[in-house]
Amino acid sequence: MKKLLLIAGLMFAATLSLQAQKFALVDMDYIFKNIPAYERANEQLNQVSKKWQAEVEALQVEAQTLYKNYQNEVVFLSQEQKKARQDAIVAKEQEAAELKKKYFGPQGELFKKRTALMTPIQEEIYNTIKDIADLRGYQLILDRASDAGIIFGSPKIDISNEVLSKLGYSN
């Protein structure tokens, strides 16, 4: 009997501790879409990306043109000329690949620019969410926009609009 009461008491205590934890949801996509600075930064990144992609594609087209010209003229070229043309084609392809890596590689210019533009905005949002969590006593705030496996989240616990208001953006 004492064991049964002890187990029941522990289960009751566990239930109370679970109920004491507070959770909230935010929709980061919604928040980002309502912050003009984020939209401007995103547009700037898109423009830069398109410009750099055009530069890379121009070099690739040059390499293709050199190769087509080489194929058309190969029968008329001496061995030295063939070697020189082949080297020029390979050099142009390598130049295009290096430029692509420079702009779009894992530590490339686009990554650096994205980090420079987005990190301050993301940090401001994070700090605001942290302030709200501290103020309201939330132990966990989940992003409903991510693929975290949230099947349903009550709108009552979504603090996205509160985050935007605290950041100075009304919806």
Side-chain angles (χ1 to χ4, degrees):
M1 184 72 171
K2 287 183 181 181
K3 267 188 174 178
L4 185 60
L5 285 175
L6 180 63
I7 292 172
L10 288 174
M11 291 183 77
F12 181 71
T15 304
L16 284 179
S17 69
L18 285 176
Q19 290 176 350
Q21 294 179 353
K22 291 178 69 178
F23 304 96
L25 297 175
V26 294
D27 187 336
M28 292 303 289
D29 288 344
Y30 174 76
I31 291 171
F32 286 139
K33 287 177 185 171
N34 283 284
I35 296 178
Y38 180 83
E39 292 295 316
R40 283 191 304 270
N42 227 5
E43 183 57 34
Q44 188 177 352
L45 287 171
N46 287 337
Q47 289 174 357
V48 167
S49 178
K50 286 177 186 175
K51 177 182 169 236
W52 289 343
Q53 185 62 37
E55 288 179 35
V56 170
E57 287 173 0
L59 285 176
Q60 291 171 337
V61 167
E62 283 182 46
Q64 289 172 353
T65 302
L66 287 173
Y67 180 71
K68 286 178 186 174
N69 290 342
Y70 170 77
Q71 283 183 320
N72 292 335
E73 300 168 359
V74 71
V75 293
F76 305 113
L77 300 174
S78 68
Q79 286 295 37
E80 295 90 31
Q81 290 172 325
K82 286 180 186 177
K83 177 78 170 112
R85 294 271 184 102
Q86 290 169 354
D87 290 346
I89 293 166
V90 169
K92 191 59 75 174
E93 288 172 342
Q94 285 177 340
E95 184 181 353
E98 287 172 10
L99 189 62
K100 185 174 184 175
K101 182 179 176 185
K102 175 186 172 195
Y103 287 151
F104 302 108
Q107 297 296 318
E109 296 298 318
L110 187 63
F111 174 80
K112 291 175 187 172
K113 191 157 189 70
R114 182 181 315 280
T115 301
L117 290 172
M118 298 300 189
T119 299
I121 297 168
Q122 291 168 337
E123 285 179 358
E124 183 181 16
I125 293 169
Y126 171 79
N127 289 333
T128 301
I129 291 172
K130 186 178 178 311
D131 290 346
I132 292 170
D134 291 343
L135 180 70
R136 295 239 187 123
Y138 294 126
Q139 284 82 28
L140 180 67
I141 297 180
L142 300 170
D143 179 9
R144 76 173 352 154
S146 71
D147 293 332
I150 298 172
I151 296 171
F152 172 76
S154 172
K156 295 176 185 173
I157 62 170
D158 189 329
I159 62 169
S160 302
N161 287 326
E162 184 177 353
V163 171
L164 284 170
S165 295
K166 195 162 179 130
L167 287 167
Y169 302 103
S170 60
N171 41 350

